[in-house]
Amino acid sequence: MREIASKGQLRLAFLRWTVVTVPFVLLLGFLSARSVPVGSVNRWYAALVKSELTPPDWAFPVAWSILYVLLGIALAMVIHARGSRWRVPAIIMFFVQLAVNLAWTPVFFGLHMVTGALIVIAAMFLTAFVTTLLFGRIRIAAAALMLPYLAWIIFAGYLTWQIGVLNPQAETLAPGASSTQIIE
């Protein structure tokens, strides 16, 4: 009977962490996305030639919301794993990769730096991969929750690379004040 109470207490503690980590990660992602105009409301981006595989604008906030929820749950699992010697390094690495993640939107949409965004995505993948490995040493389920994120980073990297290929002068383009026409 004591074991059942203990498992219930563990679940409750995990849920408490989840109630904190999921909204926190979602909030940070939301703030990054709101820091600059994104998608087709960004005139620079709207004027670019994009890959045929580019999803519609509505798909990005849906995908990122799902990914941020998964990241928040994975983080809660790792925070809850008291006693693991990998816990602190994994949590630190999680926040390093999250900071890199949150930098991508302002670099790409705000600064119009395609090459810089590719560098950020490479760093994002590397740090997320290391985070996934560390999470796997603590909780396999936490590492599994990171896999869709890693796949999405690869896809986002491809889309960003394609923008660079299809728009070799993208970093020097400036949108018009009242249209989506490019002024050279």
Side-chain angles (χ1 to χ4, degrees):
M1 191 65 144
R2 186 177 185 154
E3 185 178 313
I4 293 171
S6 178
K7 285 184 181 180
Q9 289 172 339
L10 288 174
R11 283 190 194 116
L12 185 59
F14 165 69
L15 288 174
R16 276 191 228 132
W17 276 115
T18 303
V19 168
V20 172
T21 58
V22 170
F24 179 70
V25 174
L26 277 167
L27 175 65
L28 291 177
F30 174 79
L31 292 174
S32 175
R34 299 297 293 170
S35 66
V36 295
V38 298
S40 59
V41 292
N42 182 299
R43 292 181 179 175
W44 171 78
Y45 179 75
L48 296 173
V49 177
K50 293 161 206 73
S51 165
E52 292 180 3
L53 296 179
T54 302
D57 280 353
W58 64 264
F60 289 97
V62 170
W64 278 112
S65 294
I66 292 167
L67 292 170
Y68 286 142
V69 167
L70 295 176
L71 291 175
I73 294 169
L75 177 61
M77 287 178 170
V78 170
I79 290 173
H80 183 64
R82 298 190 185 273
S84 171
R85 70 183 184 113
W86 296 103
R87 182 175 170 256
V88 171
I91 292 168
I92 291 169
M93 198 67 204
F94 177 87
F95 283 105
V96 168
Q97 71 79 29
L98 185 60
V100 174
N101 169 306
L102 299 174
W104 186 87
T105 298
V107 169
F108 182 78
F109 287 106
L111 299 174
H112 307 163
M113 296 176 61
V114 177
T115 303
L118 282 168
I119 292 167
V120 170
I121 282 195
M124 188 188 322
F125 181 81
L126 178 63
T127 56
F129 183 74
V130 171
T131 301
T132 303
L133 293 177
L134 290 171
F135 278 19
R137 291 182 172 265
I138 300 162
R139 295 272 191 268
I140 294 297
L145 289 172
M146 296 287 292
L147 297 178
Y149 177 56
L150 290 172
W152 185 261
I153 293 171
I154 291 168
F155 181 60
Y158 168 78
L159 294 176
T160 304
W161 174 73
Q162 278 295 107
I163 284 177
V165 169
L166 297 171
N167 304 274
Q169 302 298 319
E171 295 180 7
T172 62
L173 301 177
S178 60
S179 73
T180 56
Q181 296 298 316
I182 298 173
I183 301 172
E184 295 185 22

